[in-house]
Amino acid sequence: MKYTLRFKLTTAFLLITLLFSLLIGLFANITLQRQFKNYVMNNLNDSNEQIITTLETRYRDWGNQWNLTGLEILGVSALNNGLLLQIRDRDGTVLWDAMTQNRDFCAEIMQGMAAKMKRQNAAFRGGYTEKAYPLTVQGQPAGTVTLGYYGPYFYTDNDINFLNTLNRILILGTALAGLLSLLAGTYLAKRLSVPIARVINSAEEIAKGNYQDRITEKSDMREIINLEKSINTLADTLGKQEILRKRLTADVAHELRTPIANLQSHLEAMIDGIWQADRKRLISCHEETLRMAKIVNDLGNLAIYESENLILHPVSFPLADFMKGLVLNFENEFRKKNVTLSCKTEEQDLFADKDLLAQVLTNLLSNALKYTPTGGSVTISTASDADQVQITVTDTGIGISPADLPFIFERFYRADQSRSRVTGGSGIGLTIARSLVEAQHGSLSVRSEAGVGSQFTILLPRNRKEN
């Protein structure tokens, strides 16, 4: 049988609280029984001392002699309190003996005490006990008194009533604690289970592909708040990835649809005899196949670059010479468009895969040239510290809008939604560039403002050695 989280938490709270209540009640009962036992035994000793003191006082009041009538009154009073007295004079002659005066009543008292103690504690072991004490008046012996009682201690009716009342209070307290724990457990279980159940429902909705579901309930527990934030963040991330996945599918289809449609129409026209299969038509078909091949090749390269099996060939080389050579290769293209290209670098060595870095910078410079209008400028610069080298490509081009900026490194994403091949290529150049930088344990980031320009920054470890 399956139980809800709230039921399990409530049961757990109840059981734990009841267990602690029972343990505390048991400990309290044992402690109080022991303390009360000590109290009764001390009280019994005090009673014996009081009887001895009373007998000695009476002996003095009676003119240093024993009064048999007075002894009988004292003996009967003690007998009613569960004490059996035997009083002897200084010569050892018995003056008064409770057992002799009323043996049956004494036996009844002892049996009654034994029954009471057994009812109170079935494991109690006791029996008739006697203790003899000397009686002394003004330094002279006056006789002896023997006190008989059910020992080693016994409870009176008042004592038993007190203990029973105490036990009832402990039982009532345990029951009350159980009730309060049930209420508190139900409340706490609700506070814990409701947000957790909401998280479970949201996770199930995410599993079904509903990435719009969000947890909006407020909680004052840090762990629950963090859990809810994590689920909401997961939903956001998966939602964005789903959008990008659909966009990727649509973009791949779009990128391949046009060349395939062109190629198909050209071939059908030539098959139907509408066009002649001349050199011009075949070259056009060949261009379309090259375009498709480039898209497929870029996708294949991206898969390699993003895999863990990419083989790097790092070497140590002077970065300034490398940058100047790269700028020299682009000089003619920038001059044709009347865009200024400048290089600001310092003498330093970099340990990296030179060919892959050239591919990344070629892509960044090509994009900078493509999106920088005539009369603009592009600057490539370097900086370094003891741990890393920074390469920055800055342009004064059209920039990137804040809405597009988080996605420009995604596959086939173009801020230019028209996907014009005049202004854009296959759409995975920046994705490849980032993968190549990250493969060398670096990072590629961008800052941009629409209408102002963009700045791409590469950070690479300066002297990383391959194992």
Side-chain angles (χ1 to χ4, degrees), residues 337-408:
K337 194 176 178 181
N338 193 24
V339 174
T340 302
L341 175 60
S342 58
C343 179
K344 298 178 181 179
T345 183
E346 55 188 33
E347 296 293 336
Q348 57 189 312
D349 290 338
L350 175 64
F351 185 81
D353 191 311
K354 190 174 181 180
D355 293 334
L356 296 185
L357 181 58
Q359 185 175 345
V360 173
L361 291 174
T362 297
N363 179 278
L364 295 180
L365 289 173
S366 297
N367 285 345
L369 176 61
K370 189 180 302 179
Y371 295 107
T372 300
T374 300
S377 64
V378 175
T379 302
I380 182 169
S381 60
T382 63
S384 65
D385 55 26
D387 299 321
Q388 61 185 4
V389 172
Q390 174 180 300
I391 304 174
T392 304
V393 177
T394 307
D395 64 62
T396 58
I398 62 175
I400 305 169
S401 69
D404 294 318
L405 197 59
F407 307 104
I408 63 168

Side-chain angles (χ1 to χ4, degrees), residues 183-194:
L183 297 176
T186 303
Y187 172 72
L188 293 176
K190 181 179 179 181
R191 291 195 61 189
L192 287 174
S193 62
V194 169

Side-chain angles (χ1 to χ4, degrees), residues 8-22:
K8 291 182 178 180
L9 290 174
T10 303
T11 304
F13 279 120
L14 178 61
L15 291 177
I16 292 173
T17 308
L18 283 178
L19 178 61
F20 275 104
S21 298
L22 289 174

Side-chain angles (χ1 to χ4, degrees), residues 5 7 27 46 58 122 136 147 165 189 193 222 235 249 254 266 310 313 333 349 393 405 421 427 454 465:
L5 177 63
F7 176 81
F27 176 77
D46 291 342
R58 292 289 183 271
T136 304
L147 300 176
T165 301
S193 62
R222 182 185 303 173
T249 303
H254 178 85
H266 283 47
L310 177 63
H313 301 283
E333 295 181 42
D349 290 338
V393 177
L405 197 59
R421 288 175 181 78
S454 302
K465 300 292 185 181

